[in-house]
C-alpha cells in the first residue's frame, strides 16, 4: 500500500468519478482504474462500486476511508513540520533585554538555542525597559524582554522577579529578614531609573518615598547604599550574588515584577522568533536557564 494509492482512492471518492479524479491528479482514467484495482487486490476487498450516479464506496470502502483520511492528514502535517524546520535552518533574531535579565536568564537560554538552531544568528541589544519597548515599536528588535503588563504589544508571560529592599549593614533595620513598606517611607531613598521605577512608586502608594537620588546604573545604586547615602528597592535579578556591607530584606507582603517577551504581533512574527519564544518558555518552566 502506498500514499499514491491512498491519494488516488481519496480523489475518486471525492469526485465520484475515475475520469474527474484523473484530471485532478494528472492521470488517465485507465491509470486511475489500475491504481484502484491494485489497492483492492492488495487489501482483498472491493472499495468502490459504479452505478448510474457515479462511483461510490462500499461498506468496506467507508471503513477504509476513515483511516485513509487520517493517514493523509498526518502526512500533510509531517510535510508542514518539515517545511517549518527547513525555514529554521537560517535567519537572524534581534533580541532586546535589560541587564538583569541578560545576566541571570539569557546566557544558558541563548547557548541552548544556538545548539538547537545553529544556523540562526542571535543579536542582543541591552537597555532599559522603555528602551526595549521603543526598539520593539520601531522594529529595531524582533522580540524583547519587558515588564508586564504591556498593552501595546503581543506578550507572553515567562517568569516573575521579587522586589527586595537593600539597606546599609549599619541600618537599624538591617537585622530583619522582611519589612513593611510603612517602615521605610521616611528613609532617604535612591530610585532606580532602569525601568521599574513605576512599580516601585506603586509599592509605596499611598505614601511617597523621600527620593534623594535617581540613578540608572544598578552598580552605582548599590555603591551609594554601601556608603550610607540611602536605601533602595530593586528586582532580585538585578542584584549581584554578593553585595558587601549591605542587607537584603524581603517586602511583607512580597511584591513581584512580572516579566515577559513582547513582539509587535505574534501572528506576523517570523517562525524563528516564535521558536525563540517557545524555547525561552520551555527553559524557564523547567529551570534550565542557570
Amino acid at each position: 500500500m502506498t500514499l499514491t494509492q491512498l491519494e488516488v482512492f481519496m480523489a475518486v471518492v471525492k469526485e465520484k468519478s475515475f475520469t474527474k479524479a484523473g484530471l485532478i491528479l494528472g492521470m488517465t482514467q485507465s491509470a486511475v482504474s489500475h491504481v484502484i484495482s491494485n489497492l483492492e487486490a492488495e487489501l482483498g476487498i472491493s472499495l468502490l462500486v459504479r452505478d448510474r450516479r457515479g462511483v461510490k464506496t462500499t461498506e468496506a470502502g467507508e471503513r477504509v476511508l476513515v483511516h485513509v483520511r487520517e493517514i493523509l492528514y498526518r502526512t500533510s502535517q509531517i510535510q508542514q513540520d518539515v517545511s517549518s524546520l527547513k525555514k529554521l535552518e537560517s535567519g537572524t533574531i534581534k533580541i532586546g533585554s535589560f541587564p538583569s535579565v541578560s545576566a541571570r536568564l539569557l546566557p544558558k537560554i541563548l547557548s541552548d538555542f544556538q545548539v538547537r538552531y545553529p544556523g540562526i544568528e542571535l543579536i542582543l541589544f541591552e537597555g532599559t525597559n522603555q528602551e526595549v519597548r521603543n526598539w520593539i515599536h520601531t522594529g529595531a528588535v524582533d522580540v524583547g524582554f519587558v515588564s508586564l503588563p504591556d498593552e501595546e504589544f503581543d506578550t507572553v508571560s515567562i517568569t516573575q522577579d521579587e522586589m527586595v529592599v537593600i539597606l546599609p549593614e549599619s541600618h537599624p533595620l538591617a537585622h530583619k529578614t522582611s519589612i513593611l513598606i510603612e517602615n521605610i517611607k521616611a528613609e532617604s531613598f535612591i530610585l532606580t531609573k532602569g525601568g521599574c521605577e513605576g512599580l516601585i512608586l506603586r509599592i509605596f502608594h499611598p505614601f511617597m518615598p523621600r527620593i534623594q537620588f535617581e540613578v540608572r546604573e544598578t552598580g552605582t545604586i548599590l555603591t551609594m547604599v554601601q556608603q550610607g547615602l540611602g536605601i533602595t528597592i530593586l528586582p532580585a535579578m538585578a542584584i549581584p550574588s554578593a553585595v558587601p556591607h549591605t542587607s537584603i530584606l524581603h517586602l511583607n507582603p512580597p511584591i513581584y515584577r512580572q516579566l515577559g517577551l513582547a513582539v509587535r504581533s505574534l501572528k506576523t512574527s517570523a517562525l524563528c522568533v516564535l521558536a525563540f519564544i517557545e524555547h525561552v518558555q520551555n527553559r524557564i518552566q523547567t529551570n534550565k536557564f542557570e
Side-chain angles (χ1 to χ4, degrees), residues 27-39:
M27 301 170 65
T28 64
Q29 185 272 339
S30 61
V32 171
S33 180
H34 182 70
V35 169
I36 296 299
S37 295
N38 285 344
L39 179 59

Side-chain angles (χ1 to χ4, degrees), residues 9-229:
F9 173 61
M10 179 65 77
V12 173
V13 171
K14 182 178 179 182
E15 299 300 326
K16 297 182 174 59
S17 166
F18 282 73
T19 302
K20 290 181 180 179
L23 290 173
I24 291 172
L25 298 170
M27 301 170 65
T28 64
Q29 185 272 339
S30 61
V32 171
S33 180
H34 182 70
V35 169
I36 296 299
S37 295
N38 285 344
L39 179 59
E40 290 177 325
E42 185 175 341
L43 295 175
I45 54 174
S46 294
L47 299 173
L48 300 166
V49 294
R50 292 183 177 91
D51 60 22
R52 283 179 294 182
R53 290 178 294 180
V55 178
K56 65 178 183 180
T57 53
T58 63
E59 182 179 349
E62 282 294 326
R63 296 185 65 175
V64 170
L65 184 61
V66 173
H67 300 292
V68 171
R69 286 196 178 103
E70 179 67 16
I71 291 169
L72 294 180
Y73 171 75
R74 294 299 178 187
T75 301
S76 174
Q77 292 297 107
I78 291 171
Q79 291 170 340
Q80 290 181 31
D81 287 348
V82 169
S83 176
S84 296
L85 289 172
K86 287 180 178 178
K87 292 179 182 177
L88 285 172
E89 289 180 356
S90 62
T92 300
I93 305 174
K94 293 172 289 185
I95 305 162
S97 179
F98 29 91
S100 58
V101 169
S102 299
R104 294 296 182 93
L105 298 186
L106 280 186
K108 181 61 174 173
I109 286 174
L110 297 183
S111 175
D112 288 348
F113 187 83
Q114 291 198 312
V115 170
R116 186 174 182 183
Y117 304 108
I120 297 178
E121 181 184 10
L122 301 177
I123 302 174
L124 180 63
F125 298 82
E126 274 194 352
T128 64
N129 184 67
Q130 186 56 49
E131 285 173 332
V132 172
R133 295 179 72 257
N134 290 341
W135 293 336
I136 298 170
H137 181 72
T138 61
V141 301
D142 303 302
V143 58
F145 290 85
V146 298
S147 296
L148 299 180
D150 194 316
E151 302 298 330
E152 184 176 357
F153 308 111
D154 284 352
T155 59
V156 176
S157 179
I158 56 171
T159 192
Q160 60 183 15
D161 187 11
E162 186 179 4
M163 305 298 292
V164 295
V165 180
I166 301 100
L167 308 170
E169 64 179 357
S170 59
H171 194 282
L173 299 174
H175 65 283
K176 292 182 173 291
T177 57
S178 64
I179 194 170
L180 299 172
I181 197 68
E182 296 95 306
N183 296 145
I184 57 173
K185 65 181 182 180
E187 299 282 341
S188 295
F189 194 78
I190 306 168
L191 180 66
T192 176
K193 299 297 288 185
C196 54
E197 54 268 33
L199 173 58
I200 292 170
L201 293 177
R202 289 195 296 273
I203 291 172
F204 275 94
H205 185 78
F207 315 111
M208 275 296 294
R210 290 184 57 237
I211 300 172
Q212 298 297 310
F213 305 97
E214 297 185 17
V215 183
R216 172 170 167 164
E217 298 297 328
T218 299
T220 303
I221 294 173
L222 294 176
T223 299
M224 294 173 73
V225 173
Q226 289 171 323
Q227 295 298 317
L229 294 174

